[in-house]
Amino acid sequence: MEALTVDKIEKLFYKKIMLYNDLLYCFEEERKSLISIDLNKLWKLSKEKDEICDQIKSIRQEMSVAIKAENKPNAFNLSLIMDLIPGKYADKFKKLYLRILKLKGEIEILRKQNILYIEDSLEFMDEMISILTGEDKSRYIYNDRCHFKPSGPRLFLNREV
């Protein structure tokens, strides 16, 4: 791999890290907005996350072109690039690669937590609606750990994907 290509890929790695940092920030803000029920901010964050993801895909395409793997569908991934990096640059790229993996892991954790928060909130609202509409029995029962446990399949609200 030429030094020029290595420099280009290094810049793309840094751009990708910056975008993943931005995406992580969006998920942190999304969590705050979910808690405060700020719907306007949630819509804004959703658009922002979509834009960031599009930019990440664009960088992925640029990396693919740089290593000449654009004609091979599903052949591109960061570990492939790591294998192509010459040994004298390996340490620098390993740090960048590990930083990207760490950010992706943090983003995934926040994403899952936000989904759980939404689902829990919808279940709570569903329970409140069933109580207000005069349902005979509550759908929830306390289990041995003092947590709510659903007792039936009835749902008034549901999360849309």
Side-chain angles (χ1 to χ4, degrees), residues 29-46 117:
E29 288 300 305
E30 181 182 66
R31 178 59 176 229
K32 293 175 188 173
S33 297
L34 286 170
I35 291 169
S36 67
I37 312 173
D38 187 349
L39 297 180
N40 290 330
K41 190 167 183 182
L42 284 170
W43 282 111
K44 181 182 165 193
L45 287 168
S46 177
Y117 185 85

Side-chain angles (χ1 to χ4, degrees), residues 5 48 116 120:
T5 305
E48 191 174 339
L116 284 174
D120 287 346

Side-chain angles (χ1 to χ4, degrees), residues 17 56 95 103 152 155:
I17 288 170
I56 290 171
K95 289 176 186 174
L103 284 168
L155 285 176

Side-chain angles (χ1 to χ4, degrees), residues 50-133:
D50 287 342
E51 290 171 6
I52 292 170
C53 288
D54 288 342
Q55 291 175 4
I56 290 171
K57 288 177 188 174
S58 172
I59 288 176
R60 181 184 176 130
Q61 183 63 33
E62 287 182 55
M63 285 181 175
S64 179
V65 168
I67 64 166
K68 296 170 180 59
E70 69 271 9
N71 295 331
K72 301 172 187 170
N74 301 324
F76 176 83
N77 61 41
L78 286 177
S79 61
L80 170 68
I81 289 180
M82 293 303 293
D83 292 340
L84 297 174
I85 298 294
K88 63 182 177 180
Y89 303 107
D91 288 339
K92 182 191 308 184
F93 276 91
K94 186 173 184 177
K95 289 176 186 174
L96 296 174
Y97 177 70
L98 292 175
R99 178 68 182 146
I100 288 173
L101 290 180
K102 181 179 182 232
L103 284 168
K104 287 170 86 171
E106 291 173 7
I107 288 167
E108 184 63 17
I109 289 169
L110 277 174
R111 186 187 69 79
K112 286 180 180 179
Q113 287 176 346
N114 289 352
I115 288 171
L116 284 174
Y117 185 85
I118 290 169
E119 288 174 348
D120 287 346
S121 298
L122 288 174
E123 285 179 15
F124 174 78
M125 291 298 296
D126 190 51
E127 179 66 14
M128 291 294 104
I129 289 172
S130 78
I131 290 170
L132 292 172
T133 58

